[in-house]
Amino acid sequence: MKNKAQIFNKLLKLTLDYKFAMLTATLMAFLAVGSGIGLMMTSSFIIASAALQTPIFKLQVAIVGVRFFGIARGIFRYLERYFSHNITFKLLAKFRIWFFQSLEPLIPSKKFDLTSGDLLSRATEDVESLEHFYVRVISPPLVFLGISLLMFILLGIFDIRYSFIFSILFVGSGIGIPILTLILSRKIGIELVNLKAIIEETTVDYFQGIKELLVYDLYENWKKEILSLQNQILALESKMNKIQSLNEILAGLFMNLTVAVLLFVAIPDVNTGKLNGIYLSVITIGIMASFEIISQMPLAFQYLSKSFESAKRLYDILELPYAEPKKAVSPNIINNNFYNLKVHNLNFSYDGIRNTLSNINFELKEREKLAIVGTSGAGKSTLANILAGLLPPDSGEILIGNTSYYDLAPEQIRQIISLVPQKVHLFAGTIRENLLFAKPDATEGEILEALQMSQLQSFIERLPKKLDTYIAELGNNLSGGEIKRIGIARALLRNTPIIIFDEVTSHLDPFTESAILDSILKISKEKSIIYITHRLTRMDIFNHIIVIQNGQIVEQGKHSELIKHGFYYSKLFYSFAKRLE
Ligand code: ATP
């Protein structure tokens, strides 16, 4: 997204739901600053009058005014804070939900290759910096306009010349100082947002690969890199602080300049009797109080460039091309009880240049066991992701029963097909929580059965806290095989009519592998199974085997038939058998 007006409009649109609350908060802010001006003007009137020994009864209205403005200022400030904080938190929640909702359909996108650190910084830092959009960016300029008008009217009561002199200097400083700030801080703001993103991305990336850093003695390099980034951020933040100090100096300078110019014009009016001398102090103090809002204006502009940069980074992702999520055309087919899977002329490419899968055709009948084999990089996992509705095919058709995938929403597909991916992801939490993910209302009996089937029962029994054992992030305190088996148990709990197992036995010893295959045999009495593997053991248990090479099916049939043919499959099989010898 290049156009700043477009970004501003989009941000504004997201805040429109709270327009009444925002207007109320802005009105309260205006009334708080206005009451401050009123308080200062009435109290200076009383002090100046007292110096001239004015009788007390003549000051009655002013005394009431001081009380009123004094109390009102506190109340309005409280209400302004209450409403604006309320809006800020609601906006933050709204920005977060908007970002995650927009992100969701992007995940299966082929072009989605951002690192998790980059995404993290966009989802946290950038979304959070948008929270200032209302409080710092929208509200102060509106209050500034209101105060300009108020002071124009108040000074006009004395002399319209005062109004114009004030307006020129007040509006000039209210616009000039922030523009200067914007010019000075624009690049720094953008650099800061980007550097913070880089430091977050580097930290996450390096934390995930900390073992490699240690093994290759790169830990010191990493420390140096992070320190250098941190120093760059500190240097930029120090520049930002200097600009902010400059703003404060300039705001003070302009305030005093406005007072001096007005005194220069008003003092002769006192001499000629056009203006009561008491009002000289009232005007002076009133002007000083009105400059309170000027000090907030540069911040508005500073945050504006930050908000723009953050919004741009968010929109950059959300405008990536992705497959439009399909609306379900077919009614719920979960009760159809007819789950034959047919794949017809399926093609898929990640980059639009090289075909990862070409012309894939096969059929999986209900309660059949299909094995997909092939060398590394042949396209097996890609096919699994397409079948699980995680990637949209470029062309061709997949049917469940008689219903095409094109007529099903991805959620409907996943009610029928579950996938144990090659890299099982475990979330930080207990084993139970990680299992219940698949079926939140699963009974203890169902959990136990899933654990037995996935050969996890004895492992869980040995844990002091059993199912309530805490799993570290990414399952870091578990072995590769244990992670895989939790993935299998999770899919079994889900209890869909078709289950895809992608390389689930790759981390297992031959005994556990065999036991898992026994379990798969058992569950295949009720379910259809797709078993992706490059470990060609017990292949005779499968009804059908398809062999993929470079994204194409080069052979298919039963194990005995394929061995008899003596082509690619038999070569794969014998070379694997030789490795086992
Ligand atoms: P393995 O047995 O090693 O898991 P596989 O048969 O499952 O391999 P896939 O993971 O499907 O192979 O990958 C098929 C091809 O697609 C590979 O060349 C791989 O580099 C490429 N590929 C996989 N994922 C992506 C992606 N997200 N973007 C671009 N190319 C990809």
Side-chain angles (χ1 to χ4, degrees):
M1 162 152 318
K2 301 158 209 120
N3 193 335
K4 285 199 170 173
Q6 269 178 315
I7 296 180
F8 190 77
N9 274 346
K10 283 207 174 194
L11 284 179
L12 209 58
K13 247 188 217 161
L14 283 168
T15 60
L16 279 186
D17 276 357
Y18 307 110
K19 55 181 179 291
F20 291 115
M22 272 163 57
L23 280 176
T24 314
T26 306
L27 182 67
M28 292 302 132
F30 166 74
L31 290 174
V33 180
S35 302
I37 295 171
L39 177 67
M40 297 311 272
M41 285 173 106
T42 45
S43 46
S44 69
F45 175 79
I46 294 174
I47 294 166
S49 304
L52 299 177
Q53 296 185 339
T54 310
I56 194 92
F57 69 89
K58 283 195 178 169
L59 299 177
Q60 283 303 344
V61 177
I63 290 170
V64 172
V66 168
R67 280 188 192 145
F68 171 77
F69 287 126
I71 296 168
R73 187 177 185 228
I75 293 175
F76 288 135
R77 181 62 72 212
Y78 172 81
L79 288 175
E80 184 254 324
R81 290 279 190 271
Y82 174 80
F83 281 109
S84 60
H85 280 89
N86 201 4
I87 295 165
T88 303
F89 290 131
K90 281 187 177 155
L91 270 182
L92 196 58
K94 186 167 173 144
F95 284 140
R96 283 208 173 110
I97 292 169
W98 159 73
F99 184 65
F100 279 103
Q101 272 178 347
S102 317
L103 202 60
E104 200 201 333
L106 264 174
I107 299 299
S109 163
K110 303 170 203 176
K111 301 224 164 61
F112 196 76
D113 56 357
L114 289 161
T115 63
S116 46
D118 186 16
L119 253 188
L120 174 74
S121 92
R122 290 180 205 240
T124 53
E125 283 269 338
D126 290 333
V127 169
E128 266 163 34
S129 74
L130 288 188
E131 90 180 283
H132 300 295
F133 188 66
Y134 164 71
V135 185
R136 306 262 191 232
V137 178
I138 300 183
S139 175
L142 291 177
V143 177
F144 166 74
L145 280 180
I147 294 299
S148 308
L149 204 68
L150 176 74
M151 285 303 287
F152 189 88
I153 295 167
L154 285 178
L155 293 173
I157 295 172
F158 302 105
D159 192 323
I160 194 71
R161 285 178 307 142
Y162 304 165
S163 304
F164 280 109
I165 293 169
F166 169 81
S167 296
I168 290 167
L169 289 164
F170 187 73
V171 174
S173 52
I175 295 176
I177 301 174
I179 286 180
L180 182 72
T181 309
L182 190 65
I183 294 170
L184 292 176
S185 66
R186 204 173 59 92
K187 268 197 184 153
I188 303 175
I190 295 172
E191 267 177 68
L192 257 179
V193 169
N194 289 327
L195 268 179
K196 282 189 178 170
I198 293 174
I199 202 168
E200 225 156 283
E201 192 179 337
T202 317
T203 311
V204 171
D205 199 21
Y206 283 18
F207 268 134
Q208 284 180 349
I210 197 135
K211 279 183 201 148
E212 264 87 349
L213 287 181
L214 293 173
V215 168
Y216 292 106
D217 276 337
L218 290 172
Y219 188 70
E220 284 305 317
N221 293 17
W222 173 72
K223 248 170 59 182
K224 267 188 212 149
E225 197 177 331
I226 293 287
L227 264 177
S228 135
L229 281 169
Q230 194 56 49
N231 286 339
Q232 287 178 55
I233 290 176
L234 281 177
L236 288 176
E237 274 175 350
S238 140
K239 274 191 195 167
M240 274 295 210
N241 288 341
K242 281 183 188 142
I243 294 171
Q244 216 166 313
S245 308
L246 180 72
N247 290 332
E248 279 163 26
I249 294 167
L250 285 177
L253 211 68
F254 266 87
M255 181 187 78
N256 289 320
L257 182 71
T258 314
V259 169
V261 174
L262 254 167
L263 284 178
F264 184 74
V265 177
I267 288 171
D269 289 346
V270 176
N271 289 336
T272 56
K274 257 177 83 181
L275 181 72
N276 186 336
I278 292 173
Y279 293 122
L280 212 53
S281 67
V282 172
I283 291 170
T284 309
I285 301 288
I287 290 169
M288 287 176 155
S290 68
F291 266 77
E292 178 192 334
I293 187 67
I294 297 286
S295 58
Q296 291 176 25
M297 289 293 289
L299 223 55
F301 279 62
Q302 244 170 318
Y303 276 102
L304 186 66
S305 60
K306 249 181 137 182
S307 299
F308 270 145
E309 189 53 23
S310 294
K312 189 177 155 301
R313 283 168 44 80
L314 296 179
Y315 284 122
D316 277 350
I317 299 189
L318 304 181
E319 286 180 354
L320 285 173
Y322 67 93
E324 194 66 42
K326 287 177 286 137
K327 294 273 170 287
V329 177
S330 285
N332 206 344
I333 57 165
I334 189 73
N335 297 320
N336 278 7
N337 284 328
F338 179 51
Y339 302 120
N340 278 6
L341 187 76
K342 221 184 224 171
V343 177
H344 183 61
N345 279 348
L346 185 130
N347 293 291
F348 179 84
S349 162
Y350 280 105
D351 53 13
I353 302 166
R354 190 175 64 98
N355 254 15
T356 307
L357 292 171
S358 305
N359 207 21
I360 301 291
N361 290 285
F362 68 88
E363 189 173 354
L364 171 70
K365 295 221 170 74
E366 262 183 55
R367 290 185 283 277
E368 268 192 357
K369 298 172 288 302
L370 169 77
I372 302 179
V373 302
T375 46
S376 177
K380 304 179 297 291
S381 297
T382 305
L383 180 58
N385 286 332
I386 293 175
L387 294 176
L390 293 170
L391 284 174
D394 292 335
S395 62
E397 188 152 45
I398 308 171
L399 294 161
I400 294 184
N402 294 320
T403 315
S404 165
Y405 263 34
Y406 294 114
D407 294 335
L408 292 169
E411 307 83 77
Q412 279 181 307
I413 295 172
R414 289 190 283 268
Q415 279 178 341
I416 294 161
I417 299 188
S418 47
L419 166 71
V420 184
Q422 202 172 31
K423 287 184 211 144
V424 172
H425 183 96
L426 296 185
F427 296 89
T430 62
I431 297 177
R432 186 191 299 279
E433 281 164 352
N434 268 281
L435 290 174
L436 290 181
F437 226 77
K439 192 178 181 207
D441 57 351
T443 61
E444 283 298 310
E446 285 172 317
I447 295 178
L448 203 67
E449 197 187 352
L451 292 176
Q452 270 168 352
M453 294 284 232
S454 51
Q455 303 301 310
L456 268 175
Q457 211 188 2
S458 59
F459 162 69
I460 303 280
E461 284 301 318
R462 274 184 274 120
L463 296 171
K465 289 192 175 173
K466 312 273 185 278
L467 276 176
D468 295 316
T469 304
Y470 190 80
I471 298 177
E473 197 182 24
L474 305 176
N476 275 345
N477 54 354
L478 297 178
S479 78
E482 285 155 3
I483 294 174
K484 284 258 157 117
R485 280 178 286 156
I486 293 179
I488 297 174
R490 191 146 75 179
L492 295 179
L493 263 185
R494 178 97 172 146
N495 201 17
T496 52
I498 304 173
I499 306 181
I500 305 173
F501 297 94
D502 189 356
E503 301 283 8
V504 286
T505 53
S506 56
H507 283 86
L508 302 180
D509 59 274
F511 299 117
T512 317
E513 177 179 23
S514 191
I516 292 279
L517 281 166
D518 284 340
S519 296
I520 287 176
L521 259 180
K522 208 162 142 195
I523 56 173
S524 69
K525 290 192 180 107
E526 291 170 14
K527 296 177 191 305
S528 315
I529 304 292
I530 297 178
Y531 186 78
I532 296 172
T533 188
H534 62 264
R535 295 179 56 81
L536 305 186
T537 45
R538 293 179 63 189
M539 296 310 287
D540 52 335
I541 67 169
F542 294 97
N543 304 93
H544 199 72
I545 298 168
I546 60 177
V547 188
I548 300 190
Q549 192 185 10
N550 296 329
Q552 287 179 322
I553 298 183
V554 287
E555 273 180 284
Q556 52 183 311
K558 283 185 189 305
H559 172 70
S560 53
E561 294 164 1
L562 293 173
I563 289 292
K564 222 187 267 169
H565 291 166
F567 298 140
Y568 186 61
Y569 176 82
S570 73
K571 278 186 199 145
L572 273 180
F573 179 78
Y574 287 120
S575 95
F576 181 74
K578 211 167 171 191
R579 264 171 50 201
L580 291 184
E581 278 168 12

